[in-house]
Amino acid sequence: MTVDLSPVQEYYKDKTIFITGASGFMGKVLLEKLLYSCHSLKEVIIICRPKRGKTPESRLEEMYKLPIFQRIRDERPHMLKKVTIYQGDVTFDLLGLSGDSLKHVTENTNIVFHMAATLKLEGNLRDAIDMNLVGTKRALAVAKQMKHLEAFIHLSTAFCNCDQEVMYEKVYEFPHQPEDLIRLAEWMDVKTLDTITPDLLKPHPNTYTYSKRLAEILVRDHYESMPVIIARPSIVTPAVAEPLPGWVDNMNGPTGVLIGAGKGVIRSMICNGDLRSEVIPVDIAINGLILLPYHNSFVEERPLQIPVYNLTVDDAKKRTWKWVMDVGRDLGKKYPFEVGLWYPDGNMTSSKLYHTFCTIMFMWLPAYIIDFLLLIFGQRRFMVRVQTKVSVGLEVLQFFTTRNWDFKSTHFQQIYQKLGETDRKIFKINSDDVDDYEYMKLSILGGRQYVMKEPLTSLPKSRIQLRFLYCLDRICKTLIMTGLLYWSSQKLGLIELVRNGLFVSK
């Protein structure tokens, strides 16, 4: 039976796709979308390293069992046979490929999606350089050998040029050169490298954005000889529609904040509520990635500069952080998580002094009290450790929530303008018709179901627990404030003054 293909689907017909980082959050969504919507492609090749004693093949089988592959299993199970997996790793030369596997990749691949990276914002510089910078160099080395390469898509981040007031779709120069940093990381010991890292990073807030910026320069330097393209998504959030509404499998960025606040672990965070949030649903970002090779295939004259795309939503759809936090708090109470640590009543502030007070009183103090009680009852302590991770994560995140970001996405918007109606529906990159409140609801429920593994059937029980935590929260706050008021009054002599006044009146 002949199936009518859209122009984008026709472009991907009989193509072989090579993906690094296919086991990551965005990688899994990309793999699923290619298999489902580009069903006439020839093959998808992915690399994966063994993990926790599991072979790449067994990890792939486990991946197929995830909810996001349900529609593939139901509607197009034959597409799973089009996936070829090889043991590989971006930290190895030639990505760990050799012999027949390397030959198969280089002789058949048409399009590369290089997505493998370490996303640890607080990670050390050596790991970031090895994964994000040298890993990109290794991927380019393999791609150079590909005989039929049409496009090499490098996944970067919209925040890698944080020293620019306005971020256009171009690669910005930087005093540090990729090869210099690669050599530095090779010969310098970790302790010394960690010591000089803060000075090296400036003006970057972390090793992630720093290494990603250097990787962009590295990719740009290959533009003359290779069909390279750079894609820069903003903060990637749960899916709005595909493969499942609300799909997310990690606690990075806003998802972690919503879950942490919903569980009562995060009680305060530094954030300028008046600034606009720079987020993009993962399915819209992935659709954008898929469209890049297709869009660039129509370019008649090779541009002088490397194609760069800022994958962001339209300015009109960017809600303020205050709106995000207020709606998230409201929905978190309507759809509470199971077994919260405390009543979810945190706050957002731009005052460091007030934030410090709140973290000490409502985050660190309860953590130490809980660990002390666990110690008394002979149980394993964990709260101080959790609170340490939360504090580090919030400190890293505040760089992105206290600054105004101005991304220009002209190239990305042009893709939508040139798409036909059919492809606009299949590969949706416009979010104008997305209900923001409903999307926030889906994001919270997605975090609840897919990250915390809490079924929707537990919601009635969770609501009862939430009412109990509310009463406990108000009682404890009343006792604490009463105790503080009594102590301060005693220190200031107010109680004695009142007693003397009562005595005189008698």
Side-chain angles (χ1 to χ4, degrees), residues 28 62-70 73 247 453:
K28 285 196 283 281
E62 286 187 357
M63 195 193 306
Y64 287 159
K65 296 175 183 177
L66 292 173
I68 59 168
F69 288 94
Q70 187 62 53
R73 296 195 299 267
W247 168 257
K453 312 298 181 186

Side-chain angles (χ1 to χ4, degrees), residues 297-347:
S297 68
F298 291 101
V299 176
E300 295 180 359
E301 187 174 342
R302 186 178 176 85
L304 295 177
Q305 303 295 328
I306 180 175
V308 179
Y309 298 83
N310 288 337
L311 307 187
T312 64
V313 298
D314 292 340
D315 287 345
K317 294 295 293 182
K318 295 175 182 177
R319 294 285 191 168
T320 64
W321 284 116
K322 185 179 186 304
W323 185 91
V324 173
M325 298 303 174
D326 288 346
V327 171
R329 185 189 299 112
D330 176 56
L331 288 169
K333 294 173 183 178
K334 289 182 179 179
Y335 306 98
F337 291 89
E338 294 178 9
V339 196
L341 177 69
W342 204 255
Y343 183 71
D345 196 23
N347 65 81

Side-chain angles (χ1 to χ4, degrees), residues 23 47-60 85-89 92 95-96:
S23 61
I47 58 171
C48 185
R49 65 181 185 273
K51 193 174 183 180
R52 300 189 185 117
K54 296 177 181 177
T55 64
E57 291 77 15
S58 61
R59 289 185 65 189
L60 181 62
I85 186 168
Y86 291 125
Q87 180 169 322
D89 193 325
F92 295 150
L95 306 180

Side-chain angles (χ1 to χ4, degrees), residues 140 143-144 149 219-228 302:
L140 287 165
K144 272 185 181 179
L149 183 64
V219 173
R220 181 208 57 192
D221 291 345
H222 285 74
Y223 179 58
E224 286 188 9
S225 59
M226 296 178 65
V228 290
R302 186 178 176 85

Side-chain angles (χ1 to χ4, degrees), residues 156-210:
S156 185
T157 171
F159 300 95
C160 65
N161 299 292
C162 51
D163 56 330
Q164 304 294 319
E165 290 187 8
V166 180
M167 280 144 280
Y168 293 95
E169 292 167 302
K170 67 176 186 177
V171 176
Y172 290 86
E173 295 296 342
F174 194 62
H176 303 167
Q177 294 303 307
E179 294 295 342
D180 293 339
L181 266 293
I182 290 172
R183 285 192 293 269
L184 180 71
E186 284 176 350
W187 66 262
M188 185 174 287
D189 63 273
V190 176
K191 187 176 180 181
T192 306
L193 187 60
D194 288 343
T195 302
I196 67 171
T197 292
D199 291 326
L200 281 175
L201 294 187
K202 294 176 183 177
H204 293 267
N206 51 63
T207 58
Y208 174 69
T209 58
Y210 176 72

Side-chain angles (χ1 to χ4, degrees), residues 217-421:
I217 296 173
L218 184 71
V219 173
R220 181 208 57 192
D221 291 345
H222 285 74
Y223 179 58
E224 286 188 9
S225 59
M226 296 178 65
V228 290
I229 301 168
I230 294 174
R232 296 177 181 151
S234 53
I235 300 174
V236 182
T237 51
V240 68
E242 294 182 297
L244 289 170
W247 168 257
V248 63
D249 67 355
N250 64 76
M251 292 183 63
N252 296 333
T255 300
V257 173
L258 289 173
I259 293 175
K263 288 281 189 178
V265 176
I266 297 176
R267 312 293 297 170
S268 175
M269 71 174 290
I270 294 181
C271 179
N272 187 336
D274 296 329
L275 298 178
R276 296 178 305 177
S277 58
E278 289 291 347
V279 300
I280 184 169
V282 64
D283 45 342
I284 291 179
I286 291 302
N287 286 335
L289 284 180
I290 293 173
L291 291 171
L292 295 187
Y294 165 77
H295 179 71
N296 280 270
S297 68
F298 291 101
V299 176
E300 295 180 359
E301 187 174 342
R302 186 178 176 85
L304 295 177
Q305 303 295 328
I306 180 175
V308 179
Y309 298 83
N310 288 337
L311 307 187
T312 64
V313 298
D314 292 340
D315 287 345
K317 294 295 293 182
K318 295 175 182 177
R319 294 285 191 168
T320 64
W321 284 116
K322 185 179 186 304
W323 185 91
V324 173
M325 298 303 174
D326 288 346
V327 171
R329 185 189 299 112
D330 176 56
L331 288 169
K333 294 173 183 178
K334 289 182 179 179
Y335 306 98
F337 291 89
E338 294 178 9
V339 196
L341 177 69
W342 204 255
Y343 183 71
D345 196 23
N347 65 81
M348 175 182 63
T349 179
S350 56
S351 169
K352 289 186 177 181
L353 182 62
Y354 182 65
H355 171 70
T356 301
F357 171 79
C358 289
T359 53
I360 292 173
M361 291 298 299
F362 307 123
M363 292 170 69
W364 283 109
L365 184 59
Y368 276 103
I369 291 174
I370 290 172
D371 270 7
F372 178 69
L373 293 173
L374 290 172
L375 177 64
I376 291 175
F377 291 105
Q379 301 297 313
R380 181 170 167 266
R381 293 168 290 170
F382 67 93
M383 271 312 302
V384 171
R385 186 175 68 256
V386 169
Q387 192 55 58
T388 301
K389 290 183 178 180
V390 168
S391 297
V392 171
L394 288 177
E395 186 177 348
V396 170
L397 189 62
Q398 76 183 41
F399 181 87
F400 303 99
T401 59
T402 56
R403 285 166 173 75
N404 184 51
W405 302 95
D406 189 0
F407 301 114
K408 301 303 181 185
S409 304
T410 307
H411 297 167
F412 185 47
Q413 292 166 2
Q414 288 173 350
I415 296 177
Y416 178 78
Q417 293 166 5
K418 294 181 179 180
L419 280 181
E421 283 301 318

